[in-house]
Amino acid sequence: MTTTDEFAQLGAPLESSSSPALKFEVLAKCSTTKARASRMHLPHYTAHTPMFMPVGTMGTIKGITTAQLRTLDCHVILGNTYHLGSQPGPELLEKAGGLHKFMAWDRGLLTDSGGFQMVSLLKLANITEDGVEFENPHDGKMMMLTPEMSIGLQNSIGADIMMQLDDVVSSLTTGPRVEEAMWRSLRWLDRGIKAHKRPTEQNLFPIVQGGLDERLRTISAQELTKRESPGYAIGGLSGGEAKGSFWRMVSLSTDILPTNKPRYCMGVGYAEDLVVCSALGVDMYDCVFPTRTARFGNALVRTGSMALRQGKYKDDFTPIDSECECSTCKNFTRAYLHATVTKETTGCHLVTVHNIAFQMRLMRDIRQAIVEDRYPQFVRSFIKMRFGKTVPQWIMDALKSVNIDLTVPDADGYFATTVEDDFQKHPNV
């Protein structure tokens, strides 16, 4: 499970960019879609994209050691600035030499700004021009998180990539509040850039905002490109909006953002989203879904999600996936996992290992298909296995926008018709 040599046969980069703490090299492009395969040199690790980044809120992915993450070939993992800032706190992290040393992780780290948690998890959050005022969950006192404080916390954490503090609004919000948040996020970005104390060691990514409004998204993306940042994030999505709106905002953003810098779509982790958004030109993803769903006994496979707690697996002595090379699939059966998931921490741990392995393998397959310029064929094969003959309308539309028309039969005779559901209700069997 290594990606060390997957780009070894490729020549000089097609495009590149260099910043003090990040060098990005586009090594291969799909000749049909906007997909590309790239190498991203970070202070602690050289990551390959498109890549998925597991989320370790408190500097740990539940039930998984950093040694296991290396074995699974994770290139970058996430930490949560709000939670890490509360405990263990910036003072202790600075004494430890940063989060990398504190958690014994020698690869890439990305930290969010803490703004999303301020609004989504805490009571009495109030957004002002100064920052986010909120009630401290530990002692009930009112506190303020400003753009400068967010950057200061992230400088103490020491992640390779930091996110700006943005004014977070729900993707379902409409009206003047969306435009207010977009412009405020730009002003907060400029404050964050000025507050950044370690620009030669850490990268600050701004975030495209604007809700589901094409005009506002366009303005936001255009304004961000003026800041000459090392990379860019696409935020404010994956919040319950219709998937038809979701993919259009992603594609609009990648059309505007620089082609020689990494693009990170925040909060995306479903397999079909990774395949489609890679076709739309996205390079980086994160989501709690693969590890969170594992704790409910759900194993990820190419046909969908396998609910191992169901009784039909009680006497099933096959692995989750016979083609998976993870330690769970090599050593444990569905029957054993059925007996332990949701009951014993061991079961949750084993399914988590598999789900992360699934995500890493999917991303390797995506990169390899791009390198070999057969990404459209890979997409069709993936969709056929995932959905069969009926595919969500948004996927059909998104792929058609990048010249993959699933209504036209391929060499094997496969074609699909549409269904209105945004999500897969049952695994394709």
Side-chain angles (χ1 to χ4, degrees):
M1 293 187 181
T2 178
T3 58
T4 303
D5 301 320
E6 67 178 347
F7 295 154
Q9 303 304 315
L10 298 178
L14 305 176
E15 291 184 273
S16 65
S17 62
S18 292
S19 301
L22 189 153
K23 182 179 180 181
F24 189 69
E25 300 172 314
V26 180
L27 300 173
K29 290 184 178 182
C30 173
S31 59
T32 301
T33 71
K34 295 191 282 184
R36 70 262 192 90
S38 308
R39 188 184 286 126
M40 182 168 62
H41 303 270
L42 297 168
H44 290 90
Y45 197 71
T46 296
H48 291 183
T49 71
M51 71 170 172
F52 177 80
M53 303 176 288
V55 177
T57 301
M58 296 286 290
T60 176
I61 295 173
K62 289 182 176 63
I64 302 293
T65 68
T66 51
Q68 287 175 304
L69 290 171
R70 278 189 289 271
T71 299
L72 292 165
D73 204 30
C74 294
H75 292 192
V76 180
I77 60 176
L78 260 70
N80 181 280
T81 296
Y82 163 70
H83 292 289
L84 290 167
S86 299
Q87 188 179 7
E91 295 83 6
L92 183 61
L93 287 172
E94 287 182 357
K95 288 181 181 178
L99 184 58
H100 281 92
K101 291 183 178 179
F102 191 63
M103 64 183 291
W105 176 246
D106 56 1
R107 296 190 176 189
L109 274 174
L110 183 151
T111 45
D112 63 11
S113 66
F116 177 78
Q117 285 70 33
M118 297 296 102
V119 176
S120 65
L121 300 180
L122 302 176
K123 296 187 298 181
L124 302 177
N126 180 42
I127 312 293
T128 69
E129 190 61 29
D130 290 335
V132 183
E133 188 179 30
F134 63 96
E135 182 181 294
N136 188 312
H138 301 293
D139 58 18
K141 294 181 180 179
M142 296 305 294
M143 299 182 64
M144 174 73 74
L145 180 70
T146 67
E148 294 82 3
M149 290 172 60
S150 173
I151 295 299
L153 286 170
Q154 294 183 81
N155 281 156
S156 297
I157 294 168
D160 299 79
I161 298 173
M162 312 184 300
M163 305 308 301
Q164 72 154 112
L165 181 66
D166 52 346
D167 185 354
V168 179
V169 296
S170 166
S171 59
L172 304 179
T173 300
T174 58
R177 176 71 181 99
V178 180
E179 182 161 7
E180 175 191 53
M182 186 273 291
W183 286 111
R184 179 174 287 144
S185 294
L186 285 169
R187 294 192 294 272
W188 283 3
L189 168 63
D190 290 335
R191 288 168 58 185
I193 291 172
K194 291 179 181 178
H196 185 11
K197 302 299 184 185
R198 302 176 63 185
T200 62
E201 303 166 275
Q202 295 177 273
N203 300 282
L204 174 57
F205 279 23
I207 304 173
V208 178
Q209 290 289 359
L212 305 180
D213 187 307
E214 291 187 7
R215 180 183 69 87
L216 295 180
R217 284 265 165 190
T218 299
I219 293 172
S220 178
Q222 290 174 339
E223 286 292 323
L224 295 189
T225 60
K226 297 177 183 177
R227 271 68 176 181
E228 287 295 327
S229 298
Y232 301 88
I234 302 167
L237 299 173
S238 299
E241 73 279 0
K243 299 292 278 189
S245 299
F246 161 80
W247 80 259
R248 287 180 172 85
M249 295 302 100
V250 171
S251 191
L252 181 152
S253 300
T254 60
D255 280 343
I256 297 171
L257 294 173
T259 58
N260 65 339
K261 295 184 178 181
R263 305 151 174 169
Y264 162 34
C265 194
M266 305 175 75
V268 170
Y270 293 148
E272 56 267 35
D273 292 7
L274 301 175
V275 170
V276 171
C277 289
S278 293
L280 299 178
V282 175
D283 306 298
M284 303 164 59
Y285 310 92
D286 82 283
C287 190
V288 298
F289 167 71
T291 49
R292 178 174 289 171
T293 199
R295 298 194 291 276
F296 291 93
N298 299 312
L300 304 182
V301 291
R302 287 290 171 101
T303 55
S305 182
M306 182 183 294
L308 291 165
R309 62 191 179 279
Q310 293 181 353
K312 64 182 179 180
Y313 297 113
K314 178 169 63 72
D315 301 312
D316 188 339
F317 296 102
T318 61
I320 295 171
D321 182 351
S322 61
E323 296 183 3
C324 179
E325 297 180 354
C326 78
S327 58
T328 300
C329 289
K330 284 183 176 180
N331 297 292
F332 299 94
T333 65
R334 297 174 183 182
Y336 177 78
L337 295 168
H338 167 77
T340 57
V341 294
T342 73
K343 302 179 186 73
E344 301 288 343
T345 56
T346 299
C348 298
H349 165 88
L350 293 172
V351 180
T352 299
V353 167
H354 167 77
N355 283 1
I356 294 176
F358 173 87
Q359 298 289 95
M360 298 303 110
R361 178 182 168 197
L362 175 61
M363 301 316 295
R364 283 195 299 272
D365 289 348
I366 287 173
R367 291 192 296 268
Q368 196 60 39
I370 296 169
V371 167
E372 296 172 1
D373 201 15
R374 53 176 179 82
Y375 195 58
Q377 294 93 320
F378 170 83
V379 170
R380 295 181 76 100
S381 175
F382 172 87
I383 295 296
K384 179 181 179 180
M385 181 177 290
R386 188 79 166 181
F387 296 100
K389 298 282 285 185
T390 54
V391 176
Q393 180 75 56
W394 77 269
I395 293 178
M396 302 278 278
D397 293 342
L399 292 176
K400 190 173 182 179
S401 76
V402 286
N403 308 306
I404 301 177
D405 190 346
L406 296 180
T407 66
V408 176
D410 61 16
D412 297 323
Y414 172 72
F415 68 95
T417 57
T418 61
V419 292
E420 293 302 318
D421 295 322
D422 278 351
F423 300 96
Q424 184 186 47
K425 292 184 176 179
H426 305 286
N428 176 35
V429 294

